[in-house]
Amino acid sequence: MKPTFSQPPHVDWLTGAFSRTPLLRKTTRLADLSGVFADVSGWRHADPQQVVYDVEMLDTPSGSGELFTGVTHLYPGKVGDEYFMTRGHFHALREQGEVYFGLRGSGLLLLQDEQGEMRLEPVFAGSVHIIPGFTAHRLINTGTEILSALAVWSSNAGHDYAALAGGFAWRVVEEDHQVQIREVQNG
Ligand code: PAN
Ligand code: ZN
Protein backbone atom coordinates (compact mmCIF):
# COMPACT_ATOMS: atom_id res chain seq x y z
CA MET A 1 0.00 0.00 0.00
CA LYS A 2 1.27 3.46 -0.89
CA PRO A 3 2.09 5.67 2.08
CA THR A 4 0.04 8.80 2.41
CA PHE A 5 1.75 12.11 2.91
CA SER A 6 0.47 14.49 5.54
CA GLN A 7 1.78 17.80 6.73
CA PRO A 8 2.62 17.79 10.45
CA PRO A 9 1.70 20.70 12.67
CA HIS A 10 4.44 23.26 13.11
CA VAL A 11 5.48 25.04 16.27
CA ASP A 12 7.58 28.18 16.23
CA TRP A 13 10.27 27.35 18.82
CA LEU A 14 10.88 31.01 19.53
CA THR A 15 7.30 31.89 20.44
CA GLY A 16 5.50 28.59 20.96
CA ALA A 17 2.93 29.53 18.31
CA PHE A 18 1.31 26.59 16.53
CA SER A 19 0.70 27.04 12.83
CA ARG A 20 -2.13 24.57 12.55
CA THR A 21 -5.75 25.26 13.33
CA PRO A 22 -8.08 24.31 14.81
CA LEU A 23 -6.46 24.59 18.17
CA LEU A 24 -8.12 24.12 21.49
CA ARG A 25 -7.54 27.27 23.51
CA LYS A 26 -8.17 27.94 27.15
CA THR A 27 -7.65 31.33 28.72
CA THR A 28 -7.26 31.63 32.48
CA ARG A 29 -7.88 35.07 34.00
CA LEU A 30 -7.33 36.39 37.51
CA ALA A 31 -11.06 35.93 38.14
CA ASP A 32 -10.62 32.16 37.59
CA LEU A 33 -7.85 31.90 40.18
CA SER A 34 -9.74 32.47 43.39
CA GLY A 35 -7.79 31.17 46.37
CA VAL A 36 -4.61 30.64 44.36
CA PHE A 37 -2.63 33.73 45.39
CA ALA A 38 -1.67 34.41 49.00
CA ASP A 39 -2.55 38.11 48.91
CA VAL A 40 -6.36 37.89 48.84
CA SER A 41 -6.84 41.63 49.08
CA GLY A 42 -4.33 42.22 46.26
CA TRP A 43 -6.20 39.64 44.16
CA ARG A 44 -9.58 41.32 44.87
CA HIS A 45 -8.27 44.72 43.84
CA ALA A 46 -6.63 43.51 40.64
CA ASP A 47 -8.41 43.53 37.25
CA PRO A 48 -10.38 40.26 37.20
CA GLN A 49 -10.21 40.20 33.39
CA GLN A 50 -6.40 40.23 33.40
CA VAL A 51 -5.21 37.17 31.49
CA VAL A 52 -2.72 35.11 33.50
CA TYR A 53 -2.16 32.29 31.02
CA ASP A 54 -3.33 30.80 27.74
CA VAL A 55 -3.03 27.14 26.88
CA GLU A 56 -3.16 26.15 23.20
CA MET A 57 -3.51 22.48 22.41
CA LEU A 58 -3.38 20.52 19.20
CA ASP A 59 -6.76 18.99 18.48
CA THR A 60 -5.57 15.38 18.52
CA PRO A 61 -7.30 12.10 19.43
CA SER A 62 -7.93 11.27 23.06
CA GLY A 63 -8.18 7.81 24.52
CA SER A 64 -5.89 5.28 26.06
CA GLY A 65 -2.37 5.44 24.65
CA GLU A 66 -2.79 8.82 22.95
CA LEU A 67 -0.74 11.91 23.79
CA PHE A 68 -1.79 15.52 24.19
CA THR A 69 0.49 18.37 23.12
CA GLY A 70 -0.01 21.91 24.34
CA VAL A 71 1.80 25.19 24.86
CA THR A 72 1.26 27.31 27.96
CA HIS A 73 1.87 31.04 27.59
CA LEU A 74 2.18 32.45 31.10
CA TYR A 75 2.16 36.23 31.25
CA PRO A 76 4.47 38.29 33.48
CA GLY A 77 2.86 39.88 36.50
CA LYS A 78 2.29 39.61 40.22
CA VAL A 79 -0.49 39.60 42.75
CA GLY A 80 1.02 41.43 45.70
CA ASP A 81 4.59 40.16 45.70
CA GLU A 82 3.71 36.73 44.28
CA TYR A 83 4.53 35.99 40.65
CA PHE A 84 1.88 34.91 38.15
CA MET A 85 1.65 31.15 38.00
CA THR A 86 -0.53 28.35 36.73
CA ARG A 87 -3.06 26.80 39.09
CA GLY A 88 -1.00 23.59 39.24
CA HIS A 89 -2.25 20.04 39.52
CA PHE A 90 -1.65 16.37 40.11
CA HIS A 91 -2.75 14.14 37.30
CA ALA A 92 -6.00 12.30 38.08
CA LEU A 93 -4.15 9.11 37.14
CA ARG A 94 -1.37 9.81 39.60
CA GLU A 95 1.26 7.58 37.98
CA GLN A 96 1.20 9.59 34.73
CA GLY A 97 4.24 11.77 34.14
CA GLU A 98 4.71 14.59 31.65
CA VAL A 99 7.47 16.41 29.78
CA TYR A 100 7.76 20.21 29.65
CA PHE A 101 10.10 22.03 27.24
CA GLY A 102 10.94 25.65 27.98
CA LEU A 103 10.60 27.83 24.84
CA ARG A 104 10.95 31.46 25.91
CA GLY A 105 11.05 33.67 28.95
CA SER A 106 12.28 32.69 32.36
CA GLY A 107 10.64 31.14 35.34
CA LEU A 108 10.40 28.13 37.58
CA LEU A 109 8.74 24.76 37.51
CA LEU A 110 7.55 23.85 40.97
CA LEU A 111 7.25 20.13 41.65
CA GLN A 112 5.68 18.67 44.77
CA ASP A 113 5.15 14.99 45.46
CA GLU A 114 2.44 13.36 47.54
CA GLN A 115 4.63 13.44 50.65
CA GLY A 116 4.91 17.22 50.27
CA GLU A 117 8.55 17.13 49.16
CA MET A 118 9.18 20.02 46.82
CA ARG A 119 11.77 21.05 44.29
CA LEU A 120 12.16 23.83 41.76
CA GLU A 121 13.70 23.75 38.29
CA PRO A 122 14.59 26.87 36.31
CA VAL A 123 12.67 27.14 33.03
CA PHE A 124 14.33 28.82 30.05
CA ALA A 125 14.53 28.42 26.27
CA GLY A 126 15.69 24.86 25.70
CA SER A 127 15.14 23.51 29.22
CA VAL A 128 13.70 19.99 29.38
CA HIS A 129 11.70 18.92 32.42
CA ILE A 130 10.83 15.33 33.18
CA ILE A 131 7.87 15.46 35.54
CA PRO A 132 7.59 12.10 37.25
CA GLY A 133 4.31 10.45 38.13
CA PHE A 134 2.74 11.20 41.52
CA THR A 135 4.06 14.78 41.30
CA ALA A 136 2.07 18.02 41.20
CA HIS A 137 3.42 20.69 38.87
CA ARG A 138 3.05 24.45 38.50
CA LEU A 139 4.76 27.00 36.23
CA ILE A 140 5.80 30.37 37.67
CA ASN A 141 6.84 33.37 35.58
CA THR A 142 9.61 35.20 37.45
CA GLY A 143 10.64 37.26 34.42
CA THR A 144 9.39 40.32 32.61
CA GLU A 145 8.42 38.54 29.40
CA ILE A 146 5.95 35.81 28.46
CA LEU A 147 7.04 32.39 29.69
CA SER A 148 6.12 29.74 27.13
CA ALA A 149 6.54 26.01 27.60
CA LEU A 150 5.48 23.09 25.46
CA ALA A 151 4.06 20.05 27.23
CA VAL A 152 3.36 16.46 26.20
CA TRP A 153 1.26 14.23 28.41
CA SER A 154 -0.90 11.17 28.28
CA SER A 155 -4.43 11.97 27.12
CA ASN A 156 -5.94 9.85 29.86
CA ALA A 157 -3.88 11.44 32.66
CA GLY A 158 -6.61 13.94 33.60
CA HIS A 159 -6.14 16.92 35.91
CA ASP A 160 -6.84 16.81 39.64
CA TYR A 161 -6.95 20.38 40.93
CA ALA A 162 -8.93 19.61 44.08
CA ALA A 163 -6.14 17.60 45.69
CA LEU A 164 -4.12 20.80 45.84
CA ALA A 165 -6.89 23.03 47.12
CA GLY A 166 -4.74 23.55 50.22
CA GLY A 167 -2.05 24.83 47.90
CA PHE A 168 1.61 24.10 47.42
CA ALA A 169 3.89 24.24 50.45
CA TRP A 170 6.00 27.11 49.12
CA ARG A 171 5.30 30.33 47.27
CA VAL A 172 7.58 32.19 44.89
CA VAL A 173 7.69 35.93 45.52
CA GLU A 174 9.72 39.00 44.68
CA GLU A 175 11.47 40.54 47.65
CA ASP A 176 14.08 43.29 47.41
CA HIS A 177 14.00 42.87 43.61
CA GLN A 178 14.98 39.22 43.98
CA VAL A 179 13.20 35.94 43.49
CA GLN A 180 12.60 34.36 46.89
CA ILE A 181 10.73 31.30 48.05
CA ARG A 182 8.56 31.57 51.11
CA GLU A 183 7.09 28.76 53.15
CA VAL A 184 3.31 28.89 53.38
CA GLN A 185 2.10 29.50 56.94
CA ASN A 186 -0.97 27.53 58.06
CA GLY A 187 -1.38 25.87 54.65
C1 PAN B 1 -0.25 21.69 31.25
C2 PAN B 1 -1.11 22.57 32.16
C3 PAN B 1 -1.08 24.05 31.80
C4 PAN B 1 -2.02 24.90 32.68
O1 PAN B 1 -0.76 21.65 29.96
O2 PAN B 1 -2.43 22.08 32.14
O3 PAN B 1 0.23 24.53 31.99
O4 PAN B 1 -1.85 24.64 34.06
P1 PAN B 1 -3.06 24.17 34.96
O5 PAN B 1 -3.69 22.99 34.25
O6 PAN B 1 -2.45 23.78 36.25
O7 PAN B 1 -4.02 25.30 35.04
C5 PAN B 1 -0.20 20.32 31.92
O8 PAN B 1 0.50 20.16 32.89
N1 PAN B 1 -0.99 19.37 31.45
O9 PAN B 1 -1.06 18.15 32.05
ZN1 ZN C 1 0.08 18.17 33.87
Side-chain angles (χ1 to χ4, degrees):
M1 219 200 293
K2 242 181 131 186
T4 56
F5 186 86
S6 66
Q7 204 62 43
H10 172 261
V11 64
D12 181 332
W13 292 116
L14 296 180
T15 63
F18 282 123
S19 63
R20 183 199 270 184
T21 50
L23 291 171
L24 308 173
R25 185 169 222 265
K26 186 178 171 207
T27 296
T28 299
R29 301 172 190 276
L30 275 177
D32 303 314
L33 295 173
S34 167
V36 169
F37 293 95
D39 183 347
V40 176
S41 149
W43 175 78
R44 278 216 191 92
H45 287 95
D47 174 6
Q49 291 310 310
Q50 165 82 49
V51 175
V52 181
Y53 54 102
D54 286 311
V55 179
E56 291 190 332
M57 279 176 64
L58 296 176
D59 191 3
T60 54
S62 56
S64 191
E66 305 292 349
L67 296 170
F68 282 150
T69 304
V71 173
T72 299
H73 299 286
L74 175 59
Y75 294 92
K78 280 181 293 196
V79 174
D81 59 6
E82 191 171 19
Y83 293 105
F84 276 11
M85 57 195 174
T86 58
R87 181 182 293 280
H89 58 270
F90 281 103
H91 289 151
L93 290 184
R94 288 287 193 278
E95 75 277 13
Q96 296 291 332
E98 181 162 359
V99 187
Y100 277 18
F101 305 89
L103 300 178
R104 65 171 166 174
S106 59
L108 293 166
L109 173 65
L110 192 161
L111 300 166
Q112 184 173 307
D113 68 18
E114 291 184 301
Q115 286 68 48
E117 195 163 312
M118 207 197 86
R119 67 195 167 85
L120 291 158
E121 292 182 354
V123 182
F124 51 90
S127 62
V128 178
H129 308 271
I130 311 295
I131 301 170
F134 304 95
T135 305
H137 38 288
R138 161 181 278 172
L139 276 173
I140 301 158
N141 188 344
T142 57
T144 53
E145 288 164 28
I146 300 173
L147 176 69
S148 298
L150 184 137
V152 180
W153 70 100
S154 166
S155 68
N156 62 0
H159 294 152
D160 180 353
Y161 296 102
L164 271 166
F168 287 80
W170 293 77
R171 299 190 167 276
V172 180
V173 299
E174 184 183 87
E175 221 174 77
D176 300 330
H177 306 288
Q178 290 200 334
V179 179
Q180 305 277 358
I181 58 169
R182 186 183 289 162
E183 195 161 11
V184 173
Q185 306 298 321
N186 308 319

